[in-house]
Amino acid sequence: MNGPVLESDSAAALTVRNLRVGFGSAEPVVRGVSFVVAPGECLAIVGESGSGKSVTARSLLGLAGTNSRVSADRLELGGQNVLGLTDRAWQARRGKDVGLVLQDALVSLDPLRPIGREIADSLRLHTTLGAAGRARRVLELLDAVGLPQPELQVRKLSGQLSGGERQRALIAAAIALNPPLLIADEPTTALDVTVQAQILALLEQITGAGTAVLLISHDLAVVSRVAHRVAVMHDGQLVETGRTTQVLGSPQHEQTRRMVAAIPADKPRGTRLSPSARPDTPSTPDTPSFPDTPSFLSTSGTLSTPTNFGAEVSLESTVVLEAIGLSKSFRRPDGTSQLAVDDVSFTLHHGSTLGIVGESGSGKTTVARLLLALLAPEHGEVHVFGEPWSAASEKTRRGLRASVGAIYQDALGSFDPRWSVAEILTDALNLRHERGAPHTTTRLTSLLDEVGLAPTVLPRRPLELSGGQRQRVGIARALAGRPEILICDEPVSSLDVTVQAQVLDLLDDVQRERGLSLIFISHDLGVVQHISDQIAVMRDGRIVEIGPAERVFAAPQHPYSAQLLAAVPRAPV
Amino acid sequence: MSDLEVQAGLAAQSRQSGPSRRLGVAEATAGVLALLLVASAVVPQLLAPGDPLAIDPLSAFQPPNFAHGFGTDESGRDIYTRVVHGTQYSLVIGAAATAIGLGLGIVLGTLAGMLGRVIDFTVNRFLEVLFAFPGLLLALLFIVIFGPGVVTATIAVGLSTAPGYARIIRAQLITVRSQAFVEAATVLGRTRWQILLRHILPNTLAPLFVLATLGIGQAIVWAATLSYLGLGAEPPTAEWGAMLSAGRTYITSAWWMSFFPGLFIVLTAVTATVLGRSIDRRMRHV
């Protein structure tokens, strides 16, 4: 598959040939995977959830699980066979010969032990260092992973660290024994973009120091920053392997093309990110192959949704929603109050999208709750269609509620767990009392059709649906009341990149067909860039920059916007 | 048709409709026992045609034999007949007491969970005072005030279980109330009452009815305890606790007089508990 690298097999940090992993008597979930990672090389295995990438990573550590069946022609760490090792033999190797970094550092670290002791664990088990030597090494490691003031950090519990700091601590623990191979399973998925960029830089630095890194991710754009080579996994097999620039620049396999096309950043408004999910999708020309970005930009002006959409509408169309000087503070546990939203103002024009972008803690979700009148602002007002909204009583507001829909990040949590999809949508359509009537079924089916779901999901509960299907049901529910404004709070951030692409396309479609106005809140600037006409950048409760999307992206005026922008994962073409 | 095929079929079924729908031995036994108990409560004549109160001094103190399966008591009454006829007392008392406890618990818990801080505080302090007494002591206190009898015993047991239910309901309400789907319903324009009735209460109470099944076993034991102490049903009523109490005097010479009522109290309580657990497990997996 990859000639030049395979030749240097004996020197490889990791050699995997024809790896197969199955559970119980079911079909294997990893079906004949082969790859090699050389010292100082970063190989990324990329695939959607369920593609078998995490199982592959875990079987390289002997952690595939008790009822797993692992077989391979070769499975070697640093030239030594590790296939069929006993648990005891694995214990001697984990940490020493191979380190592991997991996605969620909060659950990977013991919440009741200081991180210093957590990191020192592997030193205590695998080295002869004394207590003082271990303490010194822990400080070195924390310094190496870029945690400021390591002397103070060692005594902290994992709950007292931020997400990025935790992930650094976890990486420090993984590289404590200088393992020749580091496996990182979705190491940045839970992190903000700027923190993600820092962690990726750290991984790059570790690779540069001669460690082989195996990176597992669902996001091609993220891995493209650090990986030398990319292997695309689909349905338990590697469908394409090659140098990163080559795989992203001219993807051969259909699955790779789909993943490359799903990267939202730098794709102009109206560009489809996924192969059409709905046969009756209106005129927008599908872009079956990955567009060469620069030339495509110039041709995209002819698409049905011009890129200067926002600029156009703001001149002539009406304001549907207006926030005027919104402020809201919360009481902290220690009694002091913290300003979560500070003097936020903006207007949303009919048919356009305002993207609000910011990192965790920037106050963007509080803004969403203020806009939905789930919270009352301390200062300022929200107007909807020129009418008072936040200042009105809930009773008056209720009449208007149908025209302001909401889509949530955690679609599952936003559904009553006792209700089936049919019940959820019947309720949202206000047809509760006509259940079973023939026109009810028709309306349910047409609603499902609009969001690209088959009527077969009706009797199922959201728990039994996939993440993408759940979010589609969420969108269907929001559309049921024929809203004119949709407030979307991180609607795609818990989805795989390819599923995210489908949901973004869907939002784009319904917006165009129904003439909706959207508030789109996200921490992911790439997503916001793709879907928004106007962009507001939030930091510490304030809007630091607001303007037309192209202008903000082409010439950010606030240094923070520029910093966010630089951290956006994009396909290097 | 081999067993294997049947099992495979069952397994396939369970995969379709959620995890493990197969009945365990304990659950199946409990199910059969529950049916028998309900039958003897509803149509005791069918299982024991005799009169539970008919005395026959000539055949007093007979140990279990062919004519009297469970033996006879000091007046020659057939213990088997009495035990079967006593089922209705225990089941009705158990169910009624649990219903009273649950009902009160729902009212108190909902008040505390829904109506703001002042009421929450008041209800909570009140519950804490009640909690300070052991449940049975609370029941005794009630009976001391209102006098013994089946009805007072039932109400007393119900009252003493109410604080526990109220606590659980309040906690569950507060959890459910802050969940995203409640907010989503607000955004859809539902009123507070609609949200309370359609979302909050159903999601609060569903797990509670499982708990109530478990509570029936407990209530039956408590009711029997009160009767045993002479504060509930009075002899010669065929009530298990009262029978147990009557048999106590003769426990060295006529063990069967207290053994069989006691056995049925235990069996009923265990049956209710096993069924409650099993329903609980199933609900959790859905």
Side-chain angles (χ1 to χ4, degrees):
Chain A
M1 200 180 303
N2 223 283
V5 190
L6 275 179
E7 280 167 27
S8 56
D9 232 24
S10 53
L14 172 69
T15 309
V16 177
R17 192 166 303 156
N18 197 20
L19 174 73
R20 303 172 70 83
V21 187
F23 293 95
S25 53
E27 279 285 290
V29 289
V30 176
R31 304 180 293 148
V33 164
S34 306
F35 58 88
V36 168
V37 191
E41 185 193 35
C42 178
L43 171 71
I45 298 185
V46 185
E48 297 172 38
S49 338
S51 61
K53 57 190 195 304
S54 279
V55 175
T56 304
R58 261 182 244 134
S59 34
L60 301 179
L61 290 152
L63 293 173
T66 42
N67 63 339
S68 62
R69 290 172 290 111
V70 180
S71 70
D73 293 347
R74 281 175 77 182
L75 190 60
E76 290 170 6
L77 277 180
Q80 284 176 298
N81 175 48
V82 292
L83 190 65
L85 282 192
T86 60
D87 274 356
R88 183 174 285 269
W90 266 118
Q91 276 168 23
R93 285 176 179 272
R94 281 182 215 132
K96 192 155 89 40
D97 294 344
V98 52
L100 176 68
V101 180
L102 287 167
Q103 173 180 349
D104 194 344
L106 187 58
V107 295
S108 304
L109 291 167
D110 186 333
L112 294 177
R113 295 179 72 206
I115 57 158
R117 289 190 43 201
E118 198 85 348
I119 297 169
D121 266 356
S122 55
L123 296 172
R124 199 161 41 77
L125 290 169
H126 292 288
T127 66
T128 54
L129 282 179
R134 288 203 297 269
R136 211 168 34 245
R137 175 79 179 125
V138 168
L139 292 183
E140 276 171 31
L141 284 165
L142 288 178
D143 195 47
V145 298
L147 268 183
Q149 295 179 297
E151 304 79 18
L152 295 178
Q153 309 283 0
V154 285
R155 279 191 291 276
K156 285 193 179 166
L157 302 178
S158 66
Q160 295 167 316
L161 299 174
S162 72
E165 288 171 338
R166 273 201 295 270
Q167 202 66 31
R168 284 172 195 272
L170 205 61
I171 292 176
I175 62 171
L177 296 165
N178 276 326
L181 174 68
L182 185 68
I183 297 178
D185 190 354
E186 303 270 8
T188 65
T189 303
L191 303 175
D192 278 337
V193 271
T194 51
V195 185
Q196 167 173 290
Q198 293 162 11
I199 297 291
L200 290 176
L202 174 60
L203 285 176
E204 205 164 13
Q205 185 193 326
I206 292 169
T207 319
T211 309
V213 174
L214 181 64
L215 190 60
I216 311 283
S217 178
H218 71 277
D219 194 333
L220 255 185
V222 165
V223 302
S224 66
R225 299 197 137 204
V226 282
H228 299 111
R229 288 190 302 134
V230 173
V232 178
M233 193 151 185
H234 181 56
D235 206 10
Q237 287 175 315
L238 293 186
V239 295
E240 184 164 358
T241 311
R243 304 212 67 82
T244 306
T245 43
Q246 176 200 333
V247 170
L248 276 95
S250 56
Q252 299 301 311
H253 192 270
E254 195 204 327
Q255 175 64 18
T256 320
R257 274 193 221 126
R258 194 154 54 215
M259 296 187 76
V260 171
I263 301 170
D266 300 331
K267 308 267 168 64
R269 208 73 170 82
T271 318
R272 297 199 66 79
L273 302 172
S274 61
S276 176
R278 299 189 300 167
D280 59 339
T281 304
S283 60
T284 321
D286 262 294
T287 49
S289 67
F290 174 67
D292 306 332
T293 310
S295 61
F296 187 79
L297 256 177
S298 55
T299 59
S300 69
T302 58
L303 288 176
S304 59
T305 313
T307 42
N308 58 349
F309 197 62
E312 230 172 59
V313 286
S314 61
L315 288 176
E316 44 195 273
S317 80
T318 48
V319 171
V320 289
L321 184 143
E322 190 172 15
I324 312 153
L326 293 180
S327 297
K328 178 78 191 173
S329 54
F330 291 110
R331 197 181 293 274
R332 269 193 287 235
D334 60 10
T336 58
S337 79
Q338 182 185 13
L339 210 50
V341 172
D342 185 5
D343 194 23
V344 163
S345 306
F346 51 80
T347 51
L348 176 65
H349 292 271
H350 177 77
S352 75
T353 302
L354 170 68
I356 299 179
V357 68
E359 300 189 276
S360 23
S362 61
K364 54 193 195 306
T365 292
T366 309
V367 168
R369 292 168 54 86
L370 288 169
L371 294 181
L372 289 168
L374 292 167
L375 286 175
E378 267 146 44
H379 303 285
E381 261 191 85
V382 180
H383 289 221
V384 170
F385 310 125
E387 307 273 329
W389 170 258
S390 60
S393 70
E394 180 64 33
K395 212 170 196 170
T396 345
R397 207 158 36 217
R398 208 164 281 137
L400 269 176
R401 281 256 184 223
S403 32
V404 183
I407 299 170
Y408 310 87
Q409 172 175 11
D410 175 18
L412 183 61
S414 74
F415 302 127
D416 190 320
R418 301 167 50 80
W419 284 6
S420 66
V421 172
E423 283 171 298
I424 292 166
L425 297 181
T426 321
D427 175 65
L429 285 164
N430 276 321
L431 294 172
R432 274 177 71 82
H433 305 295
E434 305 161 47
R435 202 176 290 164
H439 70 275
T440 311
T441 326
T442 326
R443 287 190 61 184
L444 286 181
T445 321
S446 75
L447 193 58
L448 284 178
D449 189 49
E450 191 173 353
V451 297
L453 285 174
T456 47
V457 300
L458 279 174
R460 294 161 78 183
R461 293 198 210 179
L463 196 63
E464 302 160 37
L465 302 177
S466 71
Q469 287 174 318
R470 284 173 194 162
Q471 200 52 282
R472 284 173 195 267
V473 175
I475 295 172
R477 172 176 64 181
L479 294 178
R482 310 221 134 260
E484 293 179 48
I485 303 169
L486 271 188
I487 316 270
C488 315
D489 186 7
E490 300 267 15
V492 295
S493 56
S494 53
L495 303 174
D496 266 9
V497 174
T498 42
V499 181
Q500 162 181 306
Q502 294 163 6
V503 172
L504 288 176
D505 282 347
L506 171 62
L507 281 173
D508 227 24
D509 289 342
V510 294
Q511 173 171 35
R512 203 166 337 106
E513 285 160 28
R514 294 191 171 213
L516 294 174
S517 319
L518 253 62
I519 299 271
F520 192 99
I521 294 172
S522 177
H523 70 281
D524 188 336
L525 209 57
V527 171
V528 170
Q529 176 184 19
H530 172 71
I531 201 156
S532 307
D533 304 302
Q534 299 272 317
I535 285 183
V537 181
M538 278 194 80
R539 185 188 200 183
D540 297 334
R542 297 183 142 269
I543 290 183
V544 296
E545 179 161 7
I546 185 165
E550 308 96 279
R551 209 272 295 137
V552 173
F553 278 93
Q557 275 160 17
H558 194 278
Y560 180 66
S561 317
Q563 191 191 336
L564 269 185
L565 207 58
V568 175
R570 53 188 84 231
V573 180
Chain B
M1 254 302 160
S2 70
D3 270 357
L4 256 176
E5 275 176 58
V6 175
Q7 277 190 359
L10 278 173
Q13 235 175 16
S14 72
R15 261 199 298 280
Q16 279 164 11
S17 51
S20 181
R21 295 264 157 171
R22 245 189 295 173
L23 283 175
V25 179
E27 286 166 344
T29 318
V32 172
L33 270 177
L35 282 179
L36 277 177
L37 286 168
V38 169
S40 47
V42 178
V43 280
Q45 302 82 4
L46 210 68
L47 294 162
D51 179 356
L53 296 178
I55 53 172
D56 180 7
L58 285 181
S59 49
F61 293 122
Q62 281 192 19
N65 56 37
F66 280 111
H68 304 284
F70 289 179
T72 59
D73 67 5
E74 78 276 14
S75 311
R77 293 179 286 236
D78 181 50
I79 303 228
Y80 169 72
T81 311
R82 286 173 63 74
V83 164
V84 168
H85 283 257
T87 314
Q88 53 187 317
Y89 283 102
S90 287
L91 287 196
V92 168
I93 291 174
T98 307
I100 291 170
L102 203 57
L104 261 175
I106 290 174
V107 172
L108 285 177
T110 313
L111 283 179
M114 294 304 293
L115 290 182
R117 256 182 231 172
V118 180
I119 293 180
D120 188 23
F121 182 85
T122 319
V123 172
N124 260 321
R125 294 301 86 78
F126 175 63
L127 289 179
E128 272 157 23
V129 170
L130 292 186
F131 263 119
F133 297 96
L136 208 54
L137 201 64
L138 206 66
L140 287 177
L141 198 71
F142 183 80
I143 291 173
V144 167
I145 300 172
F146 292 95
V150 178
V151 176
T152 23
T154 308
I155 298 176
V157 172
L159 279 182
S160 56
T161 52
Y165 289 125
R167 265 289 168 85
I168 296 167
I169 290 166
R170 175 180 168 272
Q172 181 79 11
L173 259 180
I174 289 173
T175 318
V176 173
R177 199 180 53 183
S178 60
Q179 276 177 11
F181 63 84
V182 172
E183 229 164 55
T186 313
V187 171
L188 284 178
R190 304 287 173 255
T191 64
R192 268 170 70 103
W193 276 106
Q194 285 173 324
I195 293 174
L196 181 70
L197 293 178
R198 278 188 210 165
H199 296 288
I200 300 183
L201 281 183
N203 278 292
T204 306
L205 298 185
L208 212 78
F209 282 113
V210 176
L211 210 68
T213 324
L214 287 169
I216 287 180
Q218 169 84 8
I220 286 172
V221 173
W222 281 14
T225 310
L226 288 177
S227 295
Y228 178 82
L229 294 174
L231 301 171
E234 289 179 44
T237 314
E239 199 274 343
W240 295 344
M243 290 170 69
L244 201 63
S245 171
R248 184 185 47 163
T249 327
Y250 311 103
I251 193 143
T252 45
S253 53
W255 56 269
W256 55 89
M257 279 181 66
S258 30
F259 175 77
F260 288 105
L263 179 70
F264 272 72
I265 294 172
V266 172
L267 273 183
T268 315
V270 169
T271 300
T273 309
V274 170
L275 286 184
R277 287 259 157 97
S278 142
I279 298 172
D280 183 34
R281 244 196 337 267
R282 271 144 219 274
M283 299 276 288
R284 266 176 224 275
H285 282 301
V286 171

